[in-house]
């Protein structure tokens, strides 16, 4: 929460929930990453918040970009970044999208199987590829499941195939799970990566790069370690597993770059109880799962919520969104404590909402417009 955001909200006259994002905080976050990891290139994960002003600021600061689609490649180019600063990091791409990215100048692609390597060899000949390893996401509040990456036994074959087809077998990547609160979680993946570097090295393929992915957390209700702690832990693991041959490294922060730069202002629409002896109150906001707070799915991300009644006695509340869909409940299994004095019509501030909110908002479910966003 910054004074600039509070000042902006004091002067705002429009109705409806909105996100306000403070670019000064994004700048500070970029500088933290760049200074904590001076030998690592930063590829901002565009999907976390693709607002053009965020991308322009980061391009100016020297950031590179991790993109997931042609539209994101174009957004990164429009921000002023040259194509050599863009990685097409989605492992699931249509061949014609690979071709389009190649025509736009992109030469760095993620893969996790031989079929994807073949698409890239045809549509983006001679490009660099890195193979994504499966990571179990332990310790992460938003784990990434088995959807991306391949087993460590398969990765050498995928990269060897790339090499044979005239691509540059460039390196490995992994993602330890989003909102990863344990800096030691990079160690296992780096150990596996170094074994693959050795294995392929013996077969004449010299990998050069390890993509350390995202996962750097933002502060929600619980304290999180500082970027420096992640940098130290990662550096230690790199030394332990790669010795004097530390490869080129990149990171792809999304949440950690923009999460704490944004605050959503919302309004209490209704407060009620389901029966006279109900122990929890129901508090309905004008924002829910369909217009910005999708990451409350399974109650995984718990946002800090500020009200003007803070300091008063609190009571457990079920917190829900405004739409006519029964899944539009934010916190119920683990009720949210809110002030007893909270009133219908009161404004609430939902902190840490700069990442994964605006673009996760539906185009108009129930007639509720997409989340408004102001970048200041
Ligand atoms: C989403 C994503 C990121 C960003 O993850 P955060 O946890 O938000 O930092 C980085 N890399 C890839 C490949 C991704 O898909």
């Amino acid at each position: 929460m910054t004074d600039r955001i509070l000042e902006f909200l004091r002067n705002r006259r429009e109705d409806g929930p909105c996100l306000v994002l403070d670019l000064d905080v994004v700048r500070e976050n970029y500088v933290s990453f760049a200074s904590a990891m001076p030998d690592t290139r930063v590829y901002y994960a565009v999907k976390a918040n693709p607002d053009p002003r965020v991308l322009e600021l980061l391009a100016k600061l020297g950031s590179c970009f991790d993109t997931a689609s042609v539209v994101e490649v174009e957004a990164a180019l429009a921000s002023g970044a040259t194509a050599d600063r863009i990685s097409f990091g989605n492992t699931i791409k249509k061949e014609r999208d690979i071709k389009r990215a190649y025509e736009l100048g992109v030469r760095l692609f993620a893969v996790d199987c031989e079929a994807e390597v073949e698409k890239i060899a045809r549509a983006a000949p001679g490009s660099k590829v890195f193979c994504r390893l499966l990571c179990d996401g332990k310790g992460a509040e938003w784990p990434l499941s088995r959807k991306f990456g391949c087993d460590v036994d398969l990765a050498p074959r995928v990269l060897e195939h790339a090499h044979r087809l005239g691509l540059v077998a460039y390196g490995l990547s992994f993602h330890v799970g989003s909102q990863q609160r344990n800096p030691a979680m990079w160690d296992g993946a780096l150990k596996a990566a170094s074994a693959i570097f050795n294995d392929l090295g013996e077969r004449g393929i010299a990998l050069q790069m390890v993509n350390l992915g995202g996962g750097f957390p933002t502060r929600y209700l619980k304290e999180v370690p500082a970027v420096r702690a992640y940098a130290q832990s990662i550096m230690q693991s790199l030394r332990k597993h790669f010795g004097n041959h530390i490869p080129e490294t990149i990171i792809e922060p999304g949440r950690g770059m923009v999460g704490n730069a944004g605050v959503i202002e919302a309004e209490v629409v209704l407060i009620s109880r389901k029966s006279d002896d109900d122990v929890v109150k129901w508090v309905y906001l004008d924002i829910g799962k369909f217009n910005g707070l999708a990451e409350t799915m399974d109650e995984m991300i718990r946002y800090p919520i500020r009200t003007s009644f803070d300091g008063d006695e609190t009571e457990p509340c079920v917190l829900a969104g405004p739409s006519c869909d029964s899944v539009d409940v934010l916190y119920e299994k683990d009720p949210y404590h809110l002030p007893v004095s909270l009133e219908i019509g009161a404004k609430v501030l939902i902190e840490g909402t700069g990442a994964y909110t605006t673009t996760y908002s539906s185009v108009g479910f129930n007639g509720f417009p997409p989340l408004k966003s102001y970048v200041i």
Side-chain angles (χ1 to χ4, degrees):
M1 181 74 57
T2 65
D3 290 342
R4 294 178 70 219
I5 292 178
L6 292 175
E7 173 72 15
F8 178 88
L9 287 171
R10 260 196 300 277
N11 295 318
R12 178 178 181 242
R13 292 290 162 256
E14 296 104 310
D15 192 31
C18 70
L19 168 71
V20 188
L21 193 100
D22 186 341
L23 285 178
D24 284 352
V25 180
V26 179
R27 183 183 293 108
E28 281 165 25
N29 289 338
Y30 179 83
V31 170
S32 298
F33 281 116
S35 58
M37 305 180 82
D39 300 321
T40 297
R41 261 179 312 155
V42 177
Y43 280 69
Y44 170 60
V46 172
K47 71 173 188 282
N49 191 322
D51 190 288
R53 282 149 299 180
V54 171
L55 303 185
E56 278 160 27
L57 170 68
L58 289 172
K60 220 177 295 154
L61 292 171
S63 186
C64 301
F65 296 92
D66 167 51
T67 62
S69 64
V70 171
V71 168
E72 285 191 356
V73 170
E74 287 167 342
L77 288 170
S79 77
T82 44
D84 59 336
R85 287 162 65 187
I86 298 172
S87 153
F88 202 153
N90 192 344
T91 51
I92 305 151
K93 303 173 284 300
K94 287 180 178 167
E95 189 164 328
R96 53 187 179 277
D97 289 348
I98 296 168
K99 183 159 181 284
R100 182 70 191 128
Y102 183 77
E103 286 164 359
L104 291 169
V106 177
R107 295 291 181 273
L108 182 60
F109 295 87
V111 295
D112 66 0
C113 66
E114 290 177 82
E116 193 71 13
V117 165
E118 282 164 20
K119 286 190 213 167
I120 292 169
R122 286 189 296 264
S127 292
K128 294 174 177 169
V129 296
F130 55 90
C131 183
R132 181 152 167 183
L133 302 173
L134 264 175
C135 226
D136 67 9
K138 235 189 277 151
E141 288 180 14
W142 188 264
L144 297 168
S145 79
R146 291 180 57 79
K147 182 169 175 184
F148 312 101
C150 67
D151 200 83
V152 291
D153 296 334
L154 188 56
R157 222 157 67 215
V158 171
L159 287 167
E160 213 169 12
H161 196 55
H163 180 74
R164 253 197 321 269
L165 294 180
L167 296 166
V168 180
Y170 191 51
L172 295 163
S173 76
F174 55 86
H175 194 302
V176 294
S178 202
Q179 188 66 9
Q180 175 56 261
R181 292 175 52 230
N182 182 358
M185 287 309 294
W186 274 258
D187 188 70
L190 284 171
K191 182 177 177 192
S194 98
I196 296 169
F197 265 62
N198 290 337
D199 177 18
L200 283 176
E202 282 164 16
R203 289 190 255 163
I205 300 172
L207 301 183
Q208 300 168 60
M209 186 275 291
V210 175
N211 176 346
L212 303 157
F216 306 94
T218 203
R219 169 134 203 214
Y220 296 115
L221 284 173
K222 293 180 208 147
E223 205 57 69
V224 294
V227 167
R228 256 175 303 116
Y230 288 83
Q232 273 162 13
S233 179
I234 289 170
M235 202 53 223
Q236 210 171 16
S237 295
L238 280 167
R239 274 195 225 103
K240 181 163 106 196
H241 300 301
F242 287 88
N244 290 329
H245 302 282
I246 293 181
E248 202 182 299
T249 50
I250 71 181
I251 52 169
E252 300 174 329
R255 190 186 302 279
M257 188 71 85
V258 289
N260 66 339
V263 173
I264 285 174
E265 184 183 63
E267 182 180 326
V268 177
V269 180
L270 182 66
I271 302 177
S272 64
R273 285 183 200 272
K274 301 293 170 189
S275 66
D276 287 336
D277 53 1
D278 203 351
V279 289
V280 291
K281 248 177 16 188
W282 282 69
V283 174
Y284 301 89
L285 302 177
D286 62 355
I287 188 167
K289 276 204 167 66
F290 296 101
N291 56 343
L293 302 183
E295 284 206 314
T296 57
M297 204 183 293
D298 297 329
E299 308 194 13
M300 282 197 272
I301 298 294
R302 278 178 91 76
Y303 296 105
I305 300 175
R306 307 272 167 245
T307 76
S308 52
F309 303 90
D310 288 356
D312 292 359
E313 192 192 332
T314 65
E315 64 184 318
C317 301
V318 175
L319 199 63
S323 71
C324 299
D325 188 310
S326 56
V327 306
D328 192 10
V329 174
L330 308 178
Y331 306 118
E332 181 176 21
K333 279 185 292 201
D334 189 2
Y336 202 98
H337 280 258
L338 288 169
V340 174
S341 45
L342 186 67
E343 291 168 354
I344 292 173
K347 291 281 165 57
V348 300
L349 296 175
I350 309 173
E351 293 182 317
T353 41
Y356 305 120
T357 50
T358 48
T359 45
Y360 262 161
S361 178
S362 78
V363 294
F365 179 54
N366 259 198
F368 294 110
L371 181 60
K372 274 207 198 82
S373 164
Y374 304 94
V375 174
I376 60 172

